[in-house]
Amino acid sequence: MAEGIAELARQACHEIAAGLAGVDEGQAGALVDALASARRIALYGVGREGLMMRALTMRLFHLGLDAHVVGDVTTPPIGAGDLLVASAGPGSFSTVMALMGTAKDAGARTAVVTAQPGGAAAGAADLVLCLPAQTMANDTGAGASRILSMGSAFEGAQYVMFEILVLRLRERLGISAAAMRERHTNLE
């Protein structure tokens, strides 16, 4: 008989928690500072990482921040005082590198969320938030996750970490849950 839902959930949560256990508080704090002080925030991610970045964008909007998903036709240009936050779990993507170059050329700061702090994207970023969780790039062979494959451990860690960032931003900016709810739109 297959394992029950509760047991699978316990194992999946354990894998996500293991990925978050290695998060550097200084990196997380620096990203909170950058998000709180940015004039405008543009966010980008590839594939399912992109879905997590969209979720973060929505929460930043609920906080009252000027946040946009890169690729939406209404995303304004960024420049000095702005922040591009990109996800590159396995270390680099050509689109992430191109967007980071464009943002830097325009005078914006860049931040990368990754599982590979030695990757090209992290090396090119102003800020790095390393979530040392398994990505699709390293989900086979010895030490591979038992439950979460194909990058799900990293994406789950992103979801939880992004909610933690939002909680810290809420506290820093003095924004209540009720105020966030007021910014929820009927088309979300």
Side-chain angles (χ1 to χ4, degrees):
M1 177 180 224
E3 293 177 86
I5 292 171
E7 178 55 23
L8 290 171
R10 185 194 66 73
Q11 291 175 36
C13 288
H14 174 75
E15 289 179 10
I16 291 169
L20 291 170
V23 172
D24 180 285
E25 287 285 344
Q27 289 180 352
L31 184 54
V32 167
D33 291 344
L35 290 166
S37 64
R39 180 180 68 109
R40 182 176 292 138
I41 306 160
L43 298 100
Y44 178 79
V46 176
R48 293 186 309 170
E49 290 181 36
L51 297 174
M52 295 302 105
M53 298 305 284
R54 291 180 75 82
L56 177 57
T57 305
M58 182 176 71
R59 286 293 192 230
L60 295 175
F61 173 80
H62 291 156
L63 286 167
L65 300 175
D66 191 3
H68 305 270
V69 174
V70 172
D72 286 353
V73 296
T74 58
T75 303
I78 62 173
D82 297 336
L83 177 67
L84 170 69
V85 182
S87 179
S92 184
F93 293 106
S94 60
T95 51
V96 168
M97 298 305 292
L99 290 168
M100 288 176 59
T102 298
K104 283 182 171 270
D105 288 349
R109 295 180 72 203
T110 59
V112 169
V113 179
T114 185
Q116 302 295 330
D126 297 306
L127 300 166
V128 176
L129 177 60
C130 180
L131 305 178
Q134 189 174 68
T135 68
M136 195 166 169
N138 64 348
D139 74 343
T140 60
S145 293
R146 177 169 144 24
I147 298 297
L148 300 174
S149 63
M150 297 182 65
S152 293
F154 180 73
E155 293 143 6
Q158 280 184 302
Y159 174 77
V160 174
M161 187 67 221
F162 291 168
E163 288 299 312
I164 292 167
L165 291 175
V166 168
L167 289 172
R168 289 185 172 176
L169 279 164
R170 248 183 63 193
E171 181 180 322
R172 174 166 176 174
L173 299 172
I175 297 171
S176 69
M180 286 181 70
R181 183 175 296 282
E182 289 174 10
R183 291 187 188 97
H184 185 276
T185 75
N186 63 354
L187 295 178
E188 284 182 14

